[in-house]
Amino acid sequence: MKQLLSCCLLTLAMGFGSCKKLLDTSPTDFLPPTYYYSTENNVMSALAGVYNPLGTAPLYGDAMFFNLGTGTDESFRAVTSATTGVWVYNFDYTDANVNNLWQQLYMGIERANLLIANINLAPMDARKRKAILGEALFMRGYYYFLLVSNFGDVPLQIVPTASPSNISRPRTPAKEVYAQILKDMQDAEDKVYTSTELGYSSRISKTVVEGILARVCLTMAGYPLQDQAQYAAALKWASKVQSSGEHALVTNAVNPDGDNNSGFSQIFVNEMQDKYDVREIMWEAEEKGNRADGYTANGRVGNDIGIGYTATNYADSGYCYGTIRVTQRLYNLYGTGDLRRDWAIGPFSYTSAGARSYFASNKIYDRNAAKWRRTYETLTPKDKNYTPANFPLLRYADVLLMLAEAENQVNGPTQVAYDAINAVRRRGYGKPVSVANATADLTAGLSPQQFQQAVQDERSRELCFEALRKPDLIRWGIFIPTMKAVAAEFKAYNGTYAYGALAGNNVAEKHLLYPIPSGEISVNKAASQNPGW
């Protein structure tokens, strides 16, 4: 946490004017603390600093979908020599990914605490001030949610750090951390702008608060808290998003080369082209620029996740390492006619000349995680390793699936639950989302247990590679047995990808949480380690 204390005041001054992208202006010089919160522009820069960790490499700029997010029943890293690493569950508390995640989350919390404490200093419009306060409260809650769900008990601090010497803080029980998360997010709900008022998805809106509250409550209802009452709360929050009328599944497609004319594919084309559509993508981690235009706040969406393409003319075509491959289990989840499969799972690779080479039907493990494709990137010249593509943090399809799950847990597989999951499925098959369809619709008459399994499978089909699968498997209490089963499937394939079994073979009870990182243990004398680490 010492690094946190030295960086917390260096909030990235990326101002954004009325309803413009967070990263639409160039960074300015460092501002001293005594001056920092004295003007509206500086307060807005401080708010941008609160959001900034989301798009950094340790979070959704890279690691959350790459090093930390792979190694599930959906994907694996196609690096035969990599026998150690967080993605194969062979690492310790010194791992850089774990340390950097912890550091960035606490940096965001410290920035939020500072902004909340100084929110009344600058003369500004009361409505703007209220919204900024709501966003800072929510972001503090979100960062703590990522901490507690990944690390368990963590130090809880909701005031700015008074002194660099005050760094010995014991871990707070997870239940108390969750209580603070709920308080912060609920306090934010009626303070922030609506999605309609904002018109873009890099800032928090009222329905984003509600949607993430549904996610938090579903997490609390599952392992390890097992607070079953939170299913009803999750249902309430997801239903509020639905009844707002502000969101809908994207069903139109304007893909330029006709790869996959469905609303599902258009979501990710829009992200590669830096286009907003708040109907479905409710919240995104913001990236911008190609490193030739003065912006270096860019991530690796499409570069280390995407269809492999290593042509020398990457400034035109885009470069992608393509090391994230898919599992046969994920491929087999898709039914005949489900358009999502060949968009999420690349059916071809690129030759060195840029031509497509389609895989044989039995070459499943050769295929890439392909939702984000650099061939659709429009900002040129294209940087070899970085893209301006945002990463989705909350989609309306996710809200509908959370609603279906919570409704089933509270009331059983009612029509409300069926309608929510069927809307997602119909879009996946390219059918009108509000019209019954025998091919797309879930089988009628399922038991609550069968419906829950259907939801679990649907979340993988729809949300694969979006940094949600591991937390889902953990809260459902099936992470370890699922990974062991995937390891057996790799071994039974044909030997070529036997190394893909490493993650499942290595997974143990201790991997339900990350270790408290070495950087924290070394400076916080009150810190304790998670079991098994």
Side-chain angles (χ1 to χ4, degrees):
M1 290 179 69
K2 191 172 290 185
Q3 294 94 332
L4 161 68
L5 297 175
S6 66
C7 294
C8 66
L9 296 176
L10 191 59
T11 50
L12 205 61
M14 297 175 296
F16 50 95
S18 57
C19 293
K20 297 293 183 184
K21 289 182 61 173
L22 278 169
L23 302 180
D24 263 354
T25 57
S26 300
T28 60
D29 291 338
F30 173 78
L31 298 172
T34 53
Y35 174 78
Y36 201 82
Y37 303 96
S38 62
T39 70
E40 181 178 330
N41 283 342
N42 291 350
V43 169
M44 295 298 279
S45 293
L47 178 62
V50 174
Y51 279 101
N52 177 252
L54 290 174
T56 62
L59 270 76
Y60 300 104
D62 191 8
M64 292 294 274
F65 57 81
F66 191 54
N67 292 328
L68 299 173
T70 193
T72 68
D73 62 339
E74 296 176 342
S75 63
F76 68 104
R77 289 276 296 277
V79 183
T80 57
S81 60
T83 58
T84 62
V86 66
W87 58 92
V88 291
Y89 304 101
N90 185 14
F91 65 101
D92 63 19
Y93 79 135
T94 66
D95 183 85
N97 293 288
V98 175
N99 274 267
N100 292 340
L101 175 64
W102 177 281
Q103 180 185 342
Q104 283 293 323
L105 292 174
Y106 271 109
M107 185 181 296
I109 289 166
E110 182 70 12
R111 291 174 178 178
N113 284 339
L114 284 162
L115 181 52
I116 292 166
N118 293 284
I119 190 63
N120 292 318
L121 293 183
M124 62 189 303
D125 176 76
R127 179 68 188 95
K128 287 184 180 180
R129 190 192 312 277
K130 182 180 178 181
I132 293 169
L133 174 59
E135 290 172 80
L137 286 166
F138 174 87
M139 289 304 301
R140 181 172 70 184
Y142 186 73
Y143 290 140
Y144 270 121
F145 174 55
L146 292 181
L147 280 164
V148 73
S149 59
N150 282 293
F151 295 95
D153 301 349
V154 294
L156 177 65
Q157 180 168 327
I158 57 173
V159 295
T161 301
S163 168
S165 62
N166 181 24
I167 56 177
S168 292
R169 300 172 186 142
R171 296 166 67 187
T172 304
K175 188 173 182 179
E176 294 179 29
V177 179
Y178 273 109
Q180 183 64 46
I181 293 166
L182 293 178
K183 182 181 185 302
D184 279 349
M185 291 187 177
Q186 289 170 11
D187 286 351
E189 183 195 8
D190 289 326
K191 290 181 172 65
V192 298
Y193 294 115
T194 66
S195 287
T196 300
E197 288 176 302
L198 289 173
Y200 61 98
S201 51
S202 56
R203 284 180 71 180
I204 295 303
S205 70
K206 180 181 175 69
T207 45
V208 168
V209 174
E210 294 161 353
I212 295 296
L213 273 165
R215 182 181 294 171
V216 170
C217 291
L218 281 179
T219 302
M220 295 175 69
Y223 179 88
L225 263 60
Q226 305 286 7
D227 184 356
Q228 301 288 300
Q230 294 298 329
Y231 281 120
L235 177 59
K236 177 187 76 172
W237 294 117
S239 298
K240 290 183 79 168
V241 177
Q242 184 185 49
S243 63
S244 73
E246 292 209 319
H247 302 285
L249 297 174
V250 172
T251 56
N252 60 307
V254 291
N255 293 0
D257 63 6
D259 264 331
N260 184 317
N261 290 312
S262 74
F264 178 78
S265 59
Q266 191 62 43
I267 295 166
F268 307 102
V269 172
N270 286 347
E271 287 191 315
M272 293 311 301
Q273 297 180 347
D274 213 14
K275 296 177 180 177
Y276 290 119
D277 191 333
V278 297
R279 292 176 299 164
E280 170 130 5
I281 298 206
M282 299 169 61
W283 186 28
E284 296 175 291
E286 183 79 69
E287 308 290 351
K288 183 176 177 65
N290 62 359
R291 302 207 161 201
D293 55 6
Y295 291 100
T296 57
N298 9 72
R300 310 213 34 197
V301 175
N303 172 255
D304 58 17
I305 184 170
I307 298 177
Y309 191 6
T310 56
T312 56
N313 65 330
Y314 59 79
D316 297 319
S317 63
Y319 196 97
C320 179
Y321 293 92
T323 55
I324 298 185
R325 303 285 180 84
V326 304
T327 64
Q328 185 165 302
R329 173 172 289 220
L330 174 62
Y331 184 89
N332 290 343
L333 279 181
Y334 293 97
T336 302
D338 193 331
L339 301 176
R340 293 173 295 184
R341 188 193 69 188
D342 287 347
W343 185 266
I345 299 173
F348 58 84
S349 62
Y350 286 107
T351 68
S352 59
R356 294 182 178 187
S357 175
Y358 284 83
F359 294 111
S361 60
N362 65 334
K363 296 292 185 180
I364 306 303
Y365 289 123
D366 294 68
R367 305 182 186 209
N368 290 133
K371 279 183 169 177
W372 300 274
R373 306 182 180 190
R374 295 201 70 179
T375 50
Y376 290 96
E377 189 180 334
T378 53
L379 181 63
T380 56
K382 298 178 183 180
D383 186 84
K384 180 178 181 179
N385 291 325
Y386 296 93
T387 79
N390 294 350
F391 187 82
L393 303 181
L394 181 66
R395 293 202 280 120
Y396 186 57
D398 186 4
V399 174
L400 289 176
L401 294 176
M402 290 192 289
L403 191 157
E405 181 177 358
E407 172 70 11
N408 180 55
Q409 293 291 337
V410 174
N411 301 311
T414 64
Q415 192 63 46
V416 169
Y418 268 96
D419 286 347
I421 193 171
N422 281 338
V424 176
R425 289 179 57 82
R426 289 166 190 163
R427 195 266 299 274
Y429 281 80
K431 308 298 182 183
V433 298
S434 59
V435 179
N437 184 274
T439 301
D441 288 1
L442 201 60
T443 303
L446 296 179
S447 68
Q449 294 75 24
Q450 291 170 324
F451 192 90
Q452 175 65 18
Q453 183 62 58
V455 169
Q456 291 175 2
D457 292 345
E458 200 62 40
R459 287 186 65 80
S460 192
R461 296 184 191 100
E462 179 70 25
L463 303 170
C464 54
F465 322 129
E466 295 182 37
L468 296 170
R469 190 58 175 176
K470 183 182 176 184
D472 274 350
L473 293 173
I474 290 174
R475 70 179 177 86
W476 291 327
I478 61 173
F479 175 62
I480 294 175
T482 298
M483 292 302 295
K484 297 299 183 187
V486 169
E489 291 163 10
F490 272 106
K491 290 178 183 178
Y493 182 57
N494 62 11
T496 305
Y497 287 106
Y499 69 88
L502 276 173
N505 288 337
N506 291 336
V507 157
E509 193 76 17
K510 71 177 186 177
H511 294 115
L512 296 173
L513 293 173
Y514 290 130
I516 304 303
S518 56
E520 177 71 3
I521 296 291
S522 65
V523 299
N524 182 359
K525 302 310 177 185
S528 59
Q529 189 54 273
N530 279 326
W533 294 100

